Amino acid sequence: MNLSHPVRRLLFVTVLALDEGGARDAFLADAQKYRRELLAHCYRMTGSLHDAEDLVQETYLRAWKSYDNFEGKSSVRTWLYRIATNTCLTALDGRKRRPLPSGLGGPAADPYADLTERHEIAWLEPIPDAPHEDPADPSVIAESRESVRLAFIAALQHLPPRQRAVLVLREVLQWKAAEVGEAIGVSTAAVNSLLQRARAQIDEVSPSRDDQPVAPESPEAADTLAQYMAAFESYDMDRLVELFTADAVWEMPPFDSWYSGPADIIALSKNHCPAEKPGDMRFLTTTANRQPVAAMYMRNPQTDAHEAFQLHVLDMTTAGVAHVVAFMDVSLFAKFGLPEAL
Protein backbone atom coordinates (compact mmCIF):
# COMPACT_ATOMS: atom_id res chain seq x y z
CA MET A 1 0.00 0.00 0.00
CA ASN A 2 1.30 3.45 -0.94
CA LEU A 3 1.18 5.51 2.25
CA SER A 4 2.54 8.68 0.76
CA HIS A 5 -0.92 10.19 0.44
CA PRO A 6 -1.95 11.94 3.71
CA VAL A 7 -5.49 10.51 3.69
CA ARG A 8 -4.25 6.93 3.14
CA ARG A 9 -1.68 7.37 5.92
CA LEU A 10 -4.37 8.65 8.31
CA LEU A 11 -6.68 5.74 7.45
CA PHE A 12 -3.85 3.23 8.00
CA VAL A 13 -3.00 4.67 11.45
CA THR A 14 -6.70 4.66 12.39
CA VAL A 15 -7.11 1.00 11.41
CA LEU A 16 -4.02 0.06 13.43
CA ALA A 17 -5.40 1.89 16.48
CA LEU A 18 -8.76 0.14 16.14
CA ASP A 19 -7.07 -3.26 15.80
CA GLU A 20 -4.91 -2.55 18.84
CA GLY A 21 -7.88 -1.35 20.88
CA GLY A 22 -9.88 -4.40 19.88
CA ALA A 23 -7.02 -6.71 20.86
CA ARG A 24 -6.70 -4.95 24.19
CA ASP A 25 -10.41 -5.27 24.87
CA ALA A 26 -10.43 -8.93 23.84
CA PHE A 27 -7.44 -9.59 26.07
CA LEU A 28 -9.12 -8.03 29.09
CA ALA A 29 -12.43 -9.76 28.36
CA ASP A 30 -10.57 -13.07 28.56
CA ALA A 31 -8.83 -11.91 31.75
CA GLN A 32 -12.21 -11.53 33.48
CA LYS A 33 -12.10 -15.23 34.36
CA TYR A 34 -9.53 -14.34 37.03
CA ARG A 35 -11.77 -11.75 38.69
CA ARG A 36 -12.96 -13.94 41.57
CA GLU A 37 -9.49 -15.05 42.63
CA LEU A 38 -8.15 -11.50 42.29
CA LEU A 39 -10.99 -10.37 44.55
CA ALA A 40 -9.92 -12.95 47.15
CA HIS A 41 -6.31 -11.81 46.79
CA CYS A 42 -7.15 -8.13 47.30
CA TYR A 43 -9.40 -9.11 50.21
CA ARG A 44 -6.53 -10.95 51.91
CA MET A 45 -4.39 -7.87 51.48
CA THR A 46 -6.97 -5.35 52.76
CA GLY A 47 -9.42 -7.25 54.96
CA SER A 48 -12.26 -5.37 53.25
CA LEU A 49 -14.74 -6.64 50.68
CA HIS A 50 -15.59 -3.08 49.64
CA ASP A 51 -11.93 -2.11 49.18
CA ALA A 52 -11.15 -5.38 47.38
CA GLU A 53 -13.88 -4.75 44.81
CA ASP A 54 -12.51 -1.28 44.10
CA LEU A 55 -8.94 -2.56 43.87
CA VAL A 56 -9.88 -5.30 41.40
CA GLN A 57 -11.47 -2.64 39.22
CA GLU A 58 -8.29 -0.58 39.50
CA THR A 59 -6.22 -3.66 38.62
CA TYR A 60 -8.13 -4.21 35.39
CA LEU A 61 -7.91 -0.52 34.53
CA ARG A 62 -4.14 -0.55 35.04
CA ALA A 63 -3.87 -3.75 32.99
CA TRP A 64 -5.87 -2.18 30.17
CA LYS A 65 -3.67 0.92 30.17
CA SER A 66 -0.41 -1.07 30.27
CA TYR A 67 -1.47 -3.81 27.84
CA ASP A 68 1.20 -2.75 25.34
CA ASN A 69 3.87 -3.48 27.96
CA PHE A 70 2.74 -7.09 28.46
CA GLU A 71 5.44 -9.12 26.75
CA GLY A 72 4.11 -12.58 27.52
CA LYS A 73 7.13 -13.54 29.67
CA SER A 74 4.72 -14.67 32.38
CA SER A 75 1.15 -15.95 32.24
CA VAL A 76 -1.71 -13.46 32.11
CA ARG A 77 -2.78 -14.66 35.56
CA THR A 78 0.66 -13.96 37.05
CA TRP A 79 0.78 -10.55 35.38
CA LEU A 80 -2.62 -9.60 36.82
CA TYR A 81 -1.60 -10.76 40.31
CA ARG A 82 1.52 -8.62 40.07
CA ILE A 83 -0.55 -5.57 39.16
CA ALA A 84 -3.14 -6.35 41.86
CA THR A 85 -0.47 -6.75 44.54
CA ASN A 86 1.15 -3.42 43.76
CA THR A 87 -2.25 -1.75 43.52
CA CYS A 88 -2.99 -3.03 47.03
CA LEU A 89 0.40 -1.91 48.36
CA THR A 90 -0.20 1.59 47.02
CA ALA A 91 -3.68 1.70 48.53
CA LEU A 92 -2.46 0.44 51.91
CA ASP A 93 0.32 3.00 52.20
CA GLY A 94 -0.36 5.00 55.34
CA ARG A 95 -3.60 3.18 56.18
CA LYS A 96 -4.26 1.57 59.54
CA ARG A 97 -4.96 -2.14 59.65
CA ARG A 98 -8.52 -3.46 59.79
CA PRO A 99 -9.01 -5.23 63.14
CA LEU A 100 -11.70 -7.20 64.89
CA PRO A 101 -12.56 -6.05 68.44
CA SER A 102 -10.48 -8.90 69.90
CA GLY A 103 -7.50 -7.60 67.94
CA LEU A 104 -7.49 -4.16 69.58
CA GLY A 105 -5.41 -5.47 72.48
CA GLY A 106 -7.94 -5.10 75.28
CA PRO A 107 -9.12 -7.87 77.62
CA ALA A 108 -12.47 -9.65 77.37
CA ALA A 109 -15.28 -7.30 78.41
CA ASP A 110 -17.94 -7.39 81.10
CA PRO A 111 -21.23 -8.43 79.45
CA TYR A 112 -23.17 -6.18 81.85
CA ALA A 113 -21.20 -3.03 80.95
CA ASP A 114 -22.33 -0.47 78.41
CA LEU A 115 -21.50 -1.05 74.75
CA THR A 116 -19.40 1.45 72.80
CA GLU A 117 -19.67 1.82 69.02
CA ARG A 118 -16.50 2.88 67.17
CA HIS A 119 -17.52 3.89 63.68
CA GLU A 120 -14.25 5.72 63.15
CA ILE A 121 -12.45 2.36 63.03
CA ALA A 122 -12.29 0.61 59.65
CA TRP A 123 -13.28 -2.89 60.79
CA LEU A 124 -12.42 -6.21 59.18
CA GLU A 125 -15.18 -7.42 56.85
CA PRO A 126 -16.34 -10.88 55.72
CA ILE A 127 -16.33 -12.02 52.09
CA PRO A 128 -19.10 -14.18 50.59
CA ASP A 129 -18.08 -17.52 49.16
CA ALA A 130 -18.50 -17.94 45.41
CA PRO A 131 -21.60 -19.99 44.52
CA HIS A 132 -21.24 -23.28 42.64
CA GLU A 133 -17.45 -23.39 42.89
CA ASP A 134 -15.54 -25.73 40.59
CA PRO A 135 -12.88 -27.63 42.60
CA ALA A 136 -10.54 -27.36 39.58
CA ASP A 137 -10.89 -23.56 39.44
CA PRO A 138 -7.53 -21.84 40.19
CA SER A 139 -9.20 -19.52 42.70
CA VAL A 140 -10.57 -22.47 44.65
CA ILE A 141 -7.19 -24.21 44.58
CA ALA A 142 -5.46 -21.06 45.85
CA GLU A 143 -7.98 -20.59 48.64
CA SER A 144 -7.71 -24.23 49.70
CA ARG A 145 -3.95 -23.95 50.18
CA GLU A 146 -4.33 -21.19 52.75
CA SER A 147 -7.75 -20.61 54.13
CA VAL A 148 -9.65 -17.36 53.85
CA ARG A 149 -11.10 -18.03 57.28
CA LEU A 150 -11.62 -14.89 59.33
CA ALA A 151 -8.97 -15.84 61.87
CA PHE A 152 -6.31 -15.99 59.16
CA ILE A 153 -7.45 -12.73 57.53
CA ALA A 154 -7.46 -11.04 60.94
CA ALA A 155 -3.94 -12.32 61.61
CA LEU A 156 -2.76 -11.01 58.24
CA GLN A 157 -3.88 -7.51 59.20
CA HIS A 158 -1.22 -7.44 61.94
CA LEU A 159 1.50 -7.55 59.28
CA PRO A 160 2.95 -4.51 57.51
CA PRO A 161 1.63 -4.46 53.90
CA ARG A 162 4.86 -5.67 52.28
CA GLN A 163 5.17 -8.60 54.69
CA ARG A 164 1.51 -9.37 54.05
CA ALA A 165 2.12 -9.43 50.29
CA VAL A 166 5.13 -11.72 50.61
CA LEU A 167 3.32 -14.18 52.88
CA VAL A 168 0.28 -14.37 50.60
CA LEU A 169 2.28 -14.71 47.39
CA ARG A 170 4.69 -17.29 48.83
CA GLU A 171 2.41 -19.42 51.00
CA VAL A 172 -1.05 -19.00 49.50
CA LEU A 173 -0.20 -18.72 45.81
CA GLN A 174 3.01 -20.76 46.10
CA TRP A 175 5.16 -18.33 44.11
CA LYS A 176 8.92 -18.71 44.14
CA ALA A 177 10.91 -16.15 46.11
CA ALA A 178 12.45 -14.74 42.92
CA GLU A 179 8.99 -14.26 41.40
CA VAL A 180 7.79 -12.43 44.51
CA GLY A 181 10.87 -10.23 44.51
CA GLU A 182 10.34 -9.30 40.89
CA ALA A 183 6.66 -8.56 41.54
CA ILE A 184 7.20 -6.14 44.43
CA GLY A 185 10.64 -4.83 43.49
CA VAL A 186 12.92 -6.33 46.14
CA SER A 187 15.74 -8.88 46.17
CA THR A 188 15.22 -12.60 46.80
CA ALA A 189 17.11 -12.24 50.07
CA ALA A 190 14.73 -9.49 51.13
CA VAL A 191 11.75 -11.70 50.26
CA ASN A 192 13.08 -14.50 52.47
CA SER A 193 13.69 -12.06 55.33
CA LEU A 194 10.19 -10.56 55.02
CA LEU A 195 8.66 -14.03 54.93
CA GLN A 196 10.52 -15.14 58.05
CA ARG A 197 9.33 -12.09 60.00
CA ALA A 198 5.77 -12.51 58.69
CA ARG A 199 5.61 -16.15 59.75
CA ALA A 200 6.83 -15.30 63.25
CA GLN A 201 4.22 -12.56 63.62
CA ILE A 202 1.41 -14.78 62.31
CA ASP A 203 2.35 -17.54 64.78
CA GLU A 204 2.26 -14.99 67.60
CA VAL A 205 -1.21 -13.58 66.87
CA SER A 206 -2.99 -16.64 65.47
CA PRO A 207 -5.27 -18.50 67.89
CA SER A 208 -4.12 -21.99 68.78
CA ARG A 209 -6.76 -24.71 69.12
CA ASP A 210 -6.62 -28.42 69.70
CA ASP A 211 -9.95 -29.01 67.95
CA GLN A 212 -10.15 -29.19 64.18
CA PRO A 213 -12.34 -26.77 62.19
CA VAL A 214 -15.52 -28.24 60.72
CA ALA A 215 -16.17 -27.74 57.00
CA PRO A 216 -19.25 -25.53 56.44
CA GLU A 217 -20.75 -28.02 53.96
CA SER A 218 -20.42 -30.98 56.35
CA PRO A 219 -23.43 -32.63 58.07
CA GLU A 220 -21.90 -31.71 61.46
CA ALA A 221 -21.81 -28.02 60.55
CA ALA A 222 -25.35 -28.09 59.16
CA ASP A 223 -26.66 -29.72 62.34
CA THR A 224 -24.85 -27.31 64.68
CA LEU A 225 -25.97 -24.31 62.62
CA ALA A 226 -29.59 -25.50 62.71
CA GLN A 227 -29.43 -25.89 66.50
CA TYR A 228 -27.77 -22.47 66.85
CA MET A 229 -30.49 -20.70 64.85
CA ALA A 230 -33.29 -22.63 66.55
CA ALA A 231 -32.01 -21.62 70.00
CA PHE A 232 -32.06 -17.94 69.05
CA GLU A 233 -35.42 -18.15 67.30
CA SER A 234 -37.02 -19.85 70.30
CA TYR A 235 -35.13 -17.51 72.66
CA ASP A 236 -33.73 -20.54 74.49
CA MET A 237 -30.48 -19.18 75.90
CA ASP A 238 -29.83 -22.27 78.03
CA ARG A 239 -29.88 -24.40 74.90
CA LEU A 240 -27.45 -21.98 73.26
CA VAL A 241 -24.91 -22.40 76.08
CA GLU A 242 -24.46 -26.06 75.19
CA LEU A 243 -23.38 -25.22 71.64
CA PHE A 244 -20.38 -23.05 72.55
CA THR A 245 -16.92 -24.32 73.43
CA ALA A 246 -15.58 -23.49 76.89
CA ASP A 247 -13.31 -20.75 75.52
CA ALA A 248 -15.69 -19.45 72.84
CA VAL A 249 -15.29 -15.83 71.71
CA TRP A 250 -18.05 -13.44 70.67
CA GLU A 251 -17.53 -10.04 69.04
CA MET A 252 -19.72 -7.67 67.04
CA PRO A 253 -18.08 -4.74 65.27
CA PRO A 254 -18.56 -1.75 65.31
CA PHE A 255 -18.81 -2.35 69.10
CA ASP A 256 -15.25 -2.44 70.37
CA SER A 257 -15.67 -5.10 73.07
CA TRP A 258 -15.31 -8.85 72.86
CA TYR A 259 -16.53 -11.59 75.19
CA SER A 260 -15.19 -14.95 76.26
CA GLY A 261 -16.96 -18.06 77.47
CA PRO A 262 -20.59 -19.27 77.10
CA ALA A 263 -21.79 -17.64 80.34
CA ASP A 264 -20.65 -14.16 79.34
CA ILE A 265 -21.91 -14.56 75.77
CA ILE A 266 -25.38 -15.49 77.01
CA ALA A 267 -25.34 -12.70 79.60
CA LEU A 268 -24.49 -10.26 76.81
CA SER A 269 -27.40 -11.51 74.71
CA LYS A 270 -29.87 -11.26 77.60
CA ASN A 271 -28.75 -7.76 78.58
CA HIS A 272 -28.18 -6.08 75.22
CA CYS A 273 -30.09 -7.95 72.52
CA PRO A 274 -33.33 -6.15 71.52
CA ALA A 275 -35.14 -9.48 71.22
CA GLU A 276 -37.49 -10.24 74.10
CA LYS A 277 -39.40 -13.36 73.17
CA PRO A 278 -39.54 -16.33 70.79
CA GLY A 279 -40.16 -15.26 67.21
CA ASP A 280 -38.36 -11.92 67.48
CA MET A 281 -35.37 -13.34 65.59
CA ARG A 282 -35.33 -15.19 62.28
CA PHE A 283 -32.43 -16.42 60.15
CA LEU A 284 -31.29 -17.17 56.64
CA THR A 285 -28.14 -19.16 55.97
CA THR A 286 -25.19 -18.67 53.64
CA THR A 287 -21.39 -18.99 53.85
CA ALA A 288 -18.48 -16.56 54.09
CA ASN A 289 -14.73 -17.05 54.41
CA ARG A 290 -15.36 -20.80 54.05
CA GLN A 291 -17.42 -20.66 57.27
CA PRO A 292 -21.14 -21.03 58.01
CA VAL A 293 -23.13 -17.80 58.25
CA ALA A 294 -26.41 -17.20 60.07
CA ALA A 295 -27.98 -13.96 58.81
CA MET A 296 -30.14 -12.61 61.62
CA TYR A 297 -33.32 -10.62 61.05
CA MET A 298 -34.81 -8.78 64.05
CA ARG A 299 -38.52 -8.08 64.33
CA ASN A 300 -39.39 -4.38 64.13
CA PRO A 301 -42.23 -3.89 66.66
CA GLN A 302 -43.57 -0.94 64.68
CA THR A 303 -43.95 -2.76 61.37
CA ASP A 304 -43.87 -6.39 62.60
CA ALA A 305 -41.40 -7.11 59.77
CA HIS A 306 -38.11 -8.88 60.40
CA GLU A 307 -35.32 -6.55 59.24
CA ALA A 308 -31.63 -7.19 58.55
CA PHE A 309 -29.72 -6.98 61.84
CA GLN A 310 -26.49 -9.02 62.01
CA LEU A 311 -24.39 -11.42 59.97
CA HIS A 312 -23.09 -14.17 62.28
CA VAL A 313 -19.93 -15.74 60.85
CA LEU A 314 -19.33 -18.91 62.86
CA ASP A 315 -16.07 -20.69 63.48
CA MET A 316 -17.07 -24.28 64.23
CA THR A 317 -14.79 -26.98 65.55
CA THR A 318 -15.38 -30.58 66.50
CA ALA A 319 -16.05 -29.34 70.05
CA GLY A 320 -18.71 -26.80 69.08
CA VAL A 321 -19.02 -23.12 68.15
CA ALA A 322 -15.64 -21.59 68.98
CA HIS A 323 -15.97 -18.06 67.64
CA VAL A 324 -18.77 -15.83 66.39
CA VAL A 325 -18.27 -12.48 64.69
CA ALA A 326 -21.66 -10.78 64.47
CA PHE A 327 -21.18 -8.07 61.84
CA MET A 328 -23.69 -5.28 62.35
CA ASP A 329 -23.04 -3.54 59.02
CA VAL A 330 -26.38 -4.26 57.33
CA SER A 331 -25.02 -3.03 53.98
CA LEU A 332 -23.23 -6.40 53.83
CA PHE A 333 -26.57 -8.20 53.38
CA ALA A 334 -26.82 -6.96 49.77
CA LYS A 335 -23.24 -8.11 49.09
CA PHE A 336 -24.32 -11.60 50.14
CA GLY A 337 -27.46 -11.49 48.00
CA LEU A 338 -29.64 -11.40 51.11
CA PRO A 339 -32.89 -9.40 51.37
CA GLU A 340 -33.16 -6.33 53.60
CA ALA A 341 -36.24 -7.74 55.31
CA LEU A 342 -38.28 -10.93 55.57
Side-chain angles (χ1 to χ4, degrees), residues 24-39 56-61 63-64 76-77 80 137 139:
R24 180 187 282 111
D25 291 341
F27 166 79
L28 285 179
D30 182 61
Q32 292 298 318
K33 62 188 176 186
Y34 302 111
R35 179 173 288 274
R36 169 63 197 183
E37 58 179 298
L38 289 172
L39 179 68
V56 170
Q57 288 296 104
E58 178 66 20
T59 294
Y60 277 104
L61 179 59
W64 188 86
V76 172
R77 180 171 177 259
L80 289 170
D137 189 290
S139 63

Side-chain angles (χ1 to χ4, degrees), residues 153 301 305 317 339:
I153 303 300
T317 71

Side-chain angles (χ1 to χ4, degrees), residues 17-140:
L18 287 172
D19 285 347
E20 183 181 312
R24 180 187 282 111
D25 291 341
F27 166 79
L28 285 179
D30 182 61
Q32 292 298 318
K33 62 188 176 186
Y34 302 111
R35 179 173 288 274
R36 169 63 197 183
E37 58 179 298
L38 289 172
L39 179 68
H41 179 63
C42 293
Y43 171 70
R44 288 188 187 94
M45 288 292 296
T46 63
S48 166
L49 174 60
H50 295 82
D51 289 351
E53 289 174 331
D54 290 343
L55 289 166
V56 170
Q57 288 296 104
E58 178 66 20
T59 294
Y60 277 104
L61 179 59
R62 290 190 182 189
W64 188 86
K65 288 180 176 179
S66 60
Y67 169 74
D68 293 339
N69 297 326
F70 178 61
E71 300 175 350
K73 293 181 179 178
S74 65
S75 68
V76 172
R77 180 171 177 259
T78 298
W79 184 61
L80 289 170
Y81 266 105
R82 185 179 299 134
I83 296 173
T85 301
N86 285 287
T87 301
C88 289
L89 289 173
T90 300
L92 289 168
D93 187 29
R95 288 193 191 181
K96 294 183 179 180
R97 66 184 179 88
R98 284 182 172 267
L100 288 174
S102 58
L104 293 178
D110 179 355
Y112 298 97
D114 292 337
L115 300 176
T116 303
E117 293 188 70
R118 299 283 300 279
H119 290 288
E120 76 278 11
I121 295 176
W123 297 101
L124 187 70
E125 296 173 350
I127 185 172
D129 292 335
H132 313 300
E133 289 179 326
D134 178 0
D137 189 290
S139 63
V140 178

Side-chain angles (χ1 to χ4, degrees), residues 83-272:
I83 296 173
T85 301
N86 285 287
T87 301
C88 289
L89 289 173
T90 300
L92 289 168
D93 187 29
R95 288 193 191 181
K96 294 183 179 180
R97 66 184 179 88
R98 284 182 172 267
L100 288 174
S102 58
L104 293 178
D110 179 355
Y112 298 97
D114 292 337
L115 300 176
T116 303
E117 293 188 70
R118 299 283 300 279
H119 290 288
E120 76 278 11
I121 295 176
W123 297 101
L124 187 70
E125 296 173 350
I127 185 172
D129 292 335
H132 313 300
E133 289 179 326
D134 178 0
D137 189 290
S139 63
V140 178
I141 295 170
E143 289 182 16
S144 67
R145 288 184 185 134
E146 188 68 89
S147 176
V148 290
R149 296 174 71 86
L150 272 178
F152 177 65
I153 303 300
L156 278 178
Q157 305 313 303
H158 287 268
L159 302 178
R162 199 169 291 273
Q163 284 187 29
R164 203 180 304 173
V166 168
L167 184 73
V168 170
L169 292 173
R170 286 284 285 122
E171 303 211 333
V172 177
L173 297 176
Q174 302 290 299
W175 283 21
K176 296 177 181 178
E179 293 174 320
V180 176
E182 183 180 354
I184 64 174
V186 300
S187 67
T188 301
V191 167
N192 292 331
S193 176
L194 287 165
L195 180 61
Q196 185 177 10
R197 294 201 300 272
R199 284 172 173 165
Q201 180 73 357
I202 286 287
D203 289 342
E204 184 177 332
V205 300
S206 295
S208 57
R209 293 199 182 105
D210 295 330
D211 303 306
Q212 294 298 313
V214 175
E217 66 277 5
S218 67
E220 297 92 332
D223 180 61
T224 301
L225 184 63
Q227 293 185 58
Y228 178 89
M229 294 186 298
F232 272 108
E233 291 178 338
S234 62
Y235 206 68
D236 188 347
M237 297 295 105
D238 293 333
R239 182 180 178 189
L240 198 58
V241 168
E242 300 171 358
L243 299 176
F244 286 107
T245 62
D247 58 351
V249 169
W250 177 284
E251 44 196 332
M252 47 184 187
F255 295 107
D256 62 1
S257 300
W258 63 281
Y259 306 87
S260 180
D264 280 3
I265 293 172
I266 301 309
L268 174 74
S269 298
K270 289 181 177 179
N271 282 279
H272 295 289

